[in-house]
Amino acid sequence: MSVAVLFVLSTVAVRWNARTGFTSLLSFGGPKFEQRLPVLRSMPIAEDKATGYDGQFGAQLAVAPDPRTPEIRGALDNPAYRARRIALAWTAHVIGGGNPWLVLQVYALQNLAVWLGLAWLVWRGLRPASDARAVAVWASCMLTIGALDCVRLSLTDLSAVLLLALAVAALAKGRTWVATGAFAAAG
């Protein structure tokens, strides 16, 4: 398990660039690259030479977390859809103190923190069985393409999975109100 965690940490660490930070994890690119927020146009952001991906939209929402403003609506591919998945954007904005460069870095790394939290929670649930089978179950949960792509591409799905896992853990301990809140937040 620790080898897998070190592998994931190292795959994120190698994405660091002294000029662009961790923005390569955000997958800015494609047809919307030139329509990104004005505050981001002068920043050194790693450009995905392919089509770009979802992380660029969540990251911009983190920089400007009001999906009703014309600036952010023009930068997003689907403002109504993105506004429903705003939790990571809000937390990145708060943690980054509203500083656009810091917010981008926080947004890029949040899914690594989510992955680590989920990895710990899954392992904790498997802890009574410490044999090779438990390791295989853990690896089959944590090393899926979906979980790893959430880290690699700054997607919002893994955070919902963590909330669902927290809800199940809370239910197992009889904490129904905590479970209800976690289920609601995941939705």
Side-chain angles (χ1 to χ4, degrees):
M1 182 186 88
S2 45
V3 171
V5 171
L6 288 174
F7 168 75
V8 171
L9 289 171
S10 66
T11 59
V12 171
V14 299
R15 301 289 294 271
W16 169 258
N17 177 286
R19 191 174 73 76
T20 62
F22 285 105
T23 60
S24 65
L25 293 169
L26 302 174
S27 298
F28 274 91
K32 288 295 242 178
F33 185 73
E34 295 305 322
Q35 296 169 354
R36 66 192 181 280
L37 289 170
V39 69
L40 300 181
R41 291 183 190 147
S42 63
M43 289 186 187
I45 294 175
E47 183 178 357
D48 179 355
K49 297 298 181 189
T51 60
Y53 208 63
D54 287 7
Q56 69 183 317
F57 305 118
Q60 290 182 92
L61 201 51
V63 170
D66 183 355
R68 297 168 297 182
T69 63
E71 238 179 23
I72 191 68
R73 292 183 72 75
L76 300 179
D77 61 338
N78 187 340
Y81 172 74
R82 301 295 172 193
R84 289 191 311 260
R85 303 177 127 216
I86 199 167
L88 284 180
W90 279 342
T91 57
H93 188 81
V94 169
I95 294 168
N99 176 310
W101 179 250
L102 289 176
V103 169
L104 289 178
Q105 304 310 311
V106 170
Y107 191 83
L109 294 174
Q110 269 184 324
N111 274 303
L112 177 61
V114 167
W115 187 91
L116 290 168
L118 185 60
W120 173 81
L121 190 63
V122 169
W123 185 251
R124 193 176 118 195
L126 295 169
R127 190 173 29 188
S130 60
D131 59 359
R133 188 174 190 174
V135 172
V137 169
W138 180 88
S140 67
C141 291
M142 298 312 305
L143 299 178
T144 63
I145 193 70
L148 296 176
D149 271 358
C150 284
V151 175
R152 184 177 67 90
L153 299 168
S154 298
L155 307 178
T156 60
D157 306 299
L158 197 62
S159 59
V161 173
L162 176 59
L163 287 169
L164 290 172
L166 288 169
V168 169
L171 273 178
K173 292 184 177 183
R175 298 178 179 162
T176 55
W177 285 107
V178 173
T180 302
F183 278 130

